[in-house]
Amino acid sequence: MALRPSNRKRNAWAVSLMDVHPSDRVLEVGFGPGIAVREIARKAIRGQVVGIDRSAVMRAQAARRNASAIRAGCVTLMVASIDDPPAFDRAFDRILAVNNMGMWSEPALRLKELAGLLRGGGLLAIVSQPRCPGATADTTAAAASQIVEALTAAGLVAIRVETLDLKPPVACVIGKASDRCLLVDQPASTK
Ligand SMILES: C[S@@+](CC[C@H](N)C(=O)[O-])C[C@H]1O[C@@H](n2cnc3c(N)ncnc32)[C@H](O)[C@@H]1O
């Protein structure tokens, strides 16, 4: 998966849209081979990258790719499903999922839960490149519309859609948490 140029391009592009700051705390759901994790860690140099993926095989691949950042304590990769996630003790500034929302059970509910993990003003980005046979730009546009609807229902605001011109195109839908979106208690000392 990691060796495909389109996969590297899609992940690097998605991270470039997320406006990651050096001290940000970022969650990636379904990190796969860990390409986006590596890109995010290069930006969040004083922050923290947390990843969950339900596959131990993918965790092993991603851990090899991000070995030095894990050793330095900047990256934590866990085997866990978003359908039964670990407890996170602090909120996130950015949350990303690339090409896996369609694999979650009850994605609408999961998006609401993820929105609740964001700090006020934090961003949630969902990326989709339809993989079904015969997928076209129309397939991508339809997928993007569904994601916009789900992020709106999850309470996110200022939702925008960006498109990367691959075959088929990739959509990245980004929504922002309003201040009242925060459900996770934050210690007064954080940020
Ligand atoms: C198509 S791969 C994409 C991997 C990576 N995001 C990328 O673009 O290179 C989907 C990944 O999502 C993970 N995944 C699927 N369902 C998941 C779930 N419910 N919770 C966590 N990870 C999940 C899979 O194990 C796999 O690594």
Side-chain angles (χ1 to χ4, degrees), residues 1 7 10-11 28-35 52-55 58 80-83 97-100 103-105:
M1 195 193 302
N7 197 29
R10 183 173 58 238
N11 277 278
E28 184 180 10
V29 179
F31 52 71
I35 296 170
I52 64 167
D53 195 295
R54 68 180 177 186
S55 161
M58 298 320 299
S81 169
I82 190 59
D83 300 317
V98 180
N99 273 4
N100 65 100
M103 301 171 185
W104 306 347
S105 71

Side-chain angles (χ1 to χ4, degrees), residues 16-152:
S16 77
L17 296 174
M18 292 182 69
D19 189 26
V20 175
H21 295 186
S23 60
D24 276 352
R25 186 170 145 80
V26 183
L27 172 66
E28 184 180 10
V29 179
F31 52 71
I35 296 170
V37 167
R38 185 173 60 186
E39 296 292 326
I40 296 164
R42 284 176 178 158
K43 291 175 182 284
I45 46 171
R46 293 190 299 281
Q48 179 73 30
V49 187
V50 177
I52 64 167
D53 195 295
R54 68 180 177 186
S55 161
V57 173
M58 298 320 299
R59 200 262 167 206
Q61 270 194 33
R64 277 198 295 279
R65 178 162 280 107
N66 292 280
S68 55
I70 291 172
R71 270 196 306 275
C74 310
V75 168
T76 304
L77 300 179
M78 292 179 259
V79 177
S81 169
I82 190 59
D83 300 317
D84 183 18
F88 299 109
D89 58 350
R90 286 169 51 208
F92 293 97
D93 301 285
R94 303 284 183 267
I95 299 178
L96 171 69
V98 180
N99 273 4
N100 65 100
M101 193 186 88
M103 301 171 185
W104 306 347
S105 71
E106 300 190 78
L109 182 57
R110 299 288 93 82
L111 288 176
K112 280 188 185 146
E113 291 164 357
L114 287 172
L117 293 173
L118 281 172
R119 288 180 195 284
L123 299 179
L124 170 57
I126 301 292
V127 177
S128 172
Q129 183 180 29
R131 308 311 288 173
C132 48
T136 64
D138 287 344
T139 320
T140 301
S145 298
Q146 285 182 5
I147 298 168
V148 168
E149 215 171 283
L151 291 192
T152 305

Side-chain angles (χ1 to χ4, degrees), residues 166-188:
L166 295 182
K167 284 193 181 358
V170 187
C172 178
V173 185
I174 304 176
K176 191 179 197 174
S178 66
D179 285 339
R180 281 182 299 166
C181 214
L182 191 68
L183 299 181
V184 173
D185 290 335
Q186 291 179 71

